[in-house]
Amino acid sequence: QVQLVESGGGLVQAGDSLRLSCAASGRTFSSYAMAWFRQAPGKEREFVAVITGSGSVTYYADSVKARFTISRDNAKSTMYLQMNSLKPEDTADYYCAARRGVGRYREPQAYDYWGQGTQVTVSS
């Protein structure tokens, strides 16, 4: 069982930066691929980024590539999402998720554990 807690969301202006954190419980954090998803009001949950257990491989949605960076610190059982050059269309609730393996990584249903979400609002 893995419990995930996100933090770091807030209200920022377009062009600003934010760093989200996802703290995980348990002693097998490095066994899990970790991902960020987001969900805007009235829209489906969408994939943002994923990182393998070792941290050696990452994938990004095209909409955030070159602006967002996913990372993890296995010693601290924590994952991060550095978000730069934020745009109003990045406004959403951001969720972290965990799973073993990495296939179908863009699909929310492929993940076993979810956090409660943290809200990010980007004003224009």
Side-chain angles (χ1 to χ4, degrees):
Q1 190 78 0
V2 177
Q3 292 184 325
L4 305 173
V5 179
E6 302 96 335
S7 61
L11 172 62
V12 297
Q13 293 187 330
D16 285 351
S17 297
L18 271 178
R19 189 176 81 155
L20 305 183
S21 298
C22 173
S25 66
R27 294 174 291 180
T28 59
F29 180 69
S30 61
S31 300
Y32 292 88
M34 300 293 296
W36 289 99
F37 285 78
R38 66 187 183 186
Q39 188 166 17
K43 295 189 176 181
E44 293 186 350
R45 192 167 296 191
E46 66 171 354
F47 168 77
V48 174
V50 64
I51 187 167
T52 55
S54 66
S56 59
V57 180
T58 58
Y59 298 104
Y60 295 90
D62 288 344
S63 59
V64 306
K65 203 172 293 183
R67 297 189 299 123
F68 291 9
T69 302
I70 190 171
S71 62
R72 65 190 297 160
D73 184 338
N74 286 343
K76 295 182 178 179
S77 296
T78 302
M79 175 183 64
Y80 306 97
L81 185 68
Q82 178 66 43
M83 305 186 295
N84 298 330
S85 302
L86 282 162
K87 304 175 181 180
E89 51 263 44
D90 294 318
T91 295
D93 291 327
Y94 283 71
Y95 298 88
C96 65
R99 58 164 293 181
R100 295 189 185 272
V102 73
R104 295 165 49 233
Y105 59 86
R106 295 177 181 271
E107 300 176 24
Q109 58 266 35
Y111 291 80
D112 301 310
Y113 304 102
W114 290 86
Q116 82 290 349
T118 187
Q119 189 173 55
V120 173
T121 303
V122 185
S123 63
S124 57

